Amino acid sequence: MITAKARAVDGPNKSFRAAEIKRRELDSHDVLIEIKYAGICHSDIHTAHGEWGPVNYPLVPGHEIAGIVTAVGPSVTKYRAGDRVGVGCMVDSCGECENCQNGEEQYCLKGKVDTYAGVDKYGEPTQGGYSTHIVVPEDFVLRIPDNIDLDVAAPLLCAGITTYSPLNHWGAGPGKKIAVVGMGGLGHMAVKIAHAMGAEVTVLSQSLNKKEDGFRFGADHYYATNDPETFNKLAGYFDLIINTVSAKIDINAYFSLLTLDGTLVNVGAPAEPLPVQVFALSSLRRSFAASMIGGIRETQEMLDFCAKHNIVPEIEVISANQIDEAYERVLASNVKYRFVIDISTM
């Protein structure tokens, strides 16, 4: 077994502590990665706090992982020692069902294996990227383009693909009017990506505090949702709305902003249910959908797209001892725009 240093949490109200975890010996198609950076996602916080259901503690979160290959199994063909790679929100799937065969492993009909808080094919709990090393099957490892630094690459493995996938699926591009609800870790990536796709991009944020940043990231318009006039002015305007907010909002008010056949896609994952008024949808044949990351093929496509268009997240690099503080600041919306852990501080 391979020993890795990590930061683990022992319960929903516990602080992170230094820990050692075991990584399996390399199987024939496995890749050993020395992790250099790990992003902090709001999903990490929901899971660590036990807000999405029972958790098998101790837990090592982290599914925005960037590092260097240090060893490979004897049958690995895609990677070799020294390669710059990433790992996102899943580390395995059945590989056999229709969805897996179509490159949609995130929707595996037998259930994907999450990077942390999951159970792998060996029956062992998975532990994530707040650690120095991880072992992953080669088919779930991504190649990081040379012109993207590893620290900014890490959040692309969740925040990047979580926003790229619905924009890609629902056809964001020239002539499309796209709104992004929220300007946090997910939202600022959605703005950058939608702008690069050629869409007209509007940010809908609680206030105008980040308006200057929004325009710098590529937004064409920026409105405050705490102003009731916003909803009157923009009624029936958007083809696609990407809701990145992980808190409960008045979702029906946002439906009114969609045009005929417009779609609102939730990528934020609030712990509370969102009540939906059917008439708010049926009046203009509007749709309410949700999206979850992307498959491995699409994630690599996203990385290459970001490399081509020089798209990287705005980050604040922290040490391993600052994780608890970072969680508090994320919950207080006090980060611009993604925390990334320097794993060398483990």
Side-chain angles (χ1 to χ4, degrees):
M1 300 292 280
I2 301 162
T3 300
K5 294 180 180 179
R7 288 294 187 273
V9 64
D10 294 315
N13 300 309
K14 301 292 186 178
S15 298
F16 278 87
R17 61 173 175 83
E20 287 192 348
I21 59 175
K22 299 295 184 183
R23 299 297 193 185
R24 66 176 181 267
E25 294 293 339
L26 270 63
D27 211 336
S28 59
H29 287 280
D30 281 342
V31 174
L32 173 63
I33 301 166
E34 180 182 355
I35 301 172
K36 298 296 185 181
Y37 295 96
I40 291 178
C41 176
H42 208 130
S43 299
D44 300 349
I45 301 174
H46 283 304
T47 307
H49 291 175
E51 294 170 351
W52 284 349
V55 176
N56 182 20
Y57 297 103
L59 173 74
V60 177
H63 58 207
E64 297 181 338
I65 299 167
I68 303 293
V69 174
T70 58
V72 299
S75 299
V76 170
T77 60
K78 298 179 181 179
Y79 302 100
R80 61 183 180 182
D83 285 348
R84 306 166 74 255
V85 296
V87 177
C89 301
M90 55 184 171
V91 291
D92 210 350
S93 70
C94 80
E96 300 172 349
C97 71
E98 181 180 1
N99 292 349
C100 287
Q101 290 292 308
N102 289 332
E104 302 279 12
E105 300 93 344
Q106 76 276 30
Y107 302 123
C108 175
L109 296 176
K110 295 182 180 179
K112 71 184 189 318
V113 178
D114 292 327
T115 305
Y116 64 85
V119 177
D120 65 22
K121 63 183 178 183
Y122 306 97
E124 297 296 325
T126 57
Q127 301 287 8
Y130 298 6
S131 59
T132 55
H133 296 81
I134 191 168
V135 176
V136 180
E138 65 173 328
D139 287 344
F140 286 81
V141 177
L142 287 307
R143 189 173 300 280
I144 295 176
D146 290 339
N147 66 330
I148 301 180
D149 292 336
L150 292 180
D151 55 353
V152 290
L156 294 177
L157 278 305
C158 178
I161 186 58
T162 296
T163 50
Y164 179 90
S165 186
L167 288 167
N168 184 39
H169 181 78
W170 273 276
K176 289 294 184 74
K177 297 173 181 177
I178 310 296
V180 177
V181 182
M183 255 279 287
L186 289 175
H188 89 290
M189 287 305 305
V191 172
K192 291 187 176 191
I193 292 169
H195 172 72
M197 289 177 168
E200 178 188 315
V201 185
T202 299
V203 175
L204 302 174
S205 186
Q206 279 188 308
S207 70
L208 300 178
N209 292 342
K210 299 176 182 177
K211 184 176 182 179
E212 192 173 307
D213 282 353
F215 288 136
R216 180 163 57 89
F217 299 153
D220 298 286
H221 315 285
Y222 200 110
Y223 291 92
T225 56
N226 61 12
D227 180 359
E229 185 56 30
T230 292
F231 291 88
N232 294 326
K233 184 174 183 177
L234 299 176
Y237 188 76
F238 298 107
D239 301 296
L240 177 66
I241 299 175
I242 305 294
N243 176 27
T244 71
V245 177
S246 290
K248 187 176 180 180
I249 64 172
D250 182 4
I251 200 73
N252 298 289
Y254 291 87
F255 292 151
S256 72
L257 305 182
L258 292 169
T259 187
L260 176 66
D261 289 327
T263 301
L264 188 153
V265 182
N266 238 66
V267 295
E272 307 87 358
L274 294 176
V276 172
Q277 297 292 334
V278 174
F279 286 122
L281 296 172
S282 61
S283 60
L284 283 173
R285 203 166 57 203
R286 297 157 170 153
S287 297
F288 182 32
S291 177
M292 180 178 65
I293 60 171
I296 295 300
R297 182 175 59 216
E298 188 178 43
T299 305
Q300 187 64 61
E301 177 185 296
M302 175 275 304
L303 287 168
D304 296 339
F305 179 89
C306 289
K308 178 181 178 180
H309 294 277
N310 297 310
I311 298 172
V312 294
E314 310 294 312
I315 67 168
E316 181 178 334
V317 178
I318 63 169
S319 75
N321 292 328
Q322 295 176 289
I323 296 173
D324 291 303
E325 176 190 346
Y327 275 28
E328 292 174 3
R329 286 180 57 190
V330 170
L331 293 174
S333 299
N334 180 24
V335 54
K336 289 187 174 180
Y337 282 84
R338 204 69 158 180
F339 286 116
V340 174
I341 306 164
D342 180 351
I343 301 300
S344 70
T345 63
M346 286 285 171

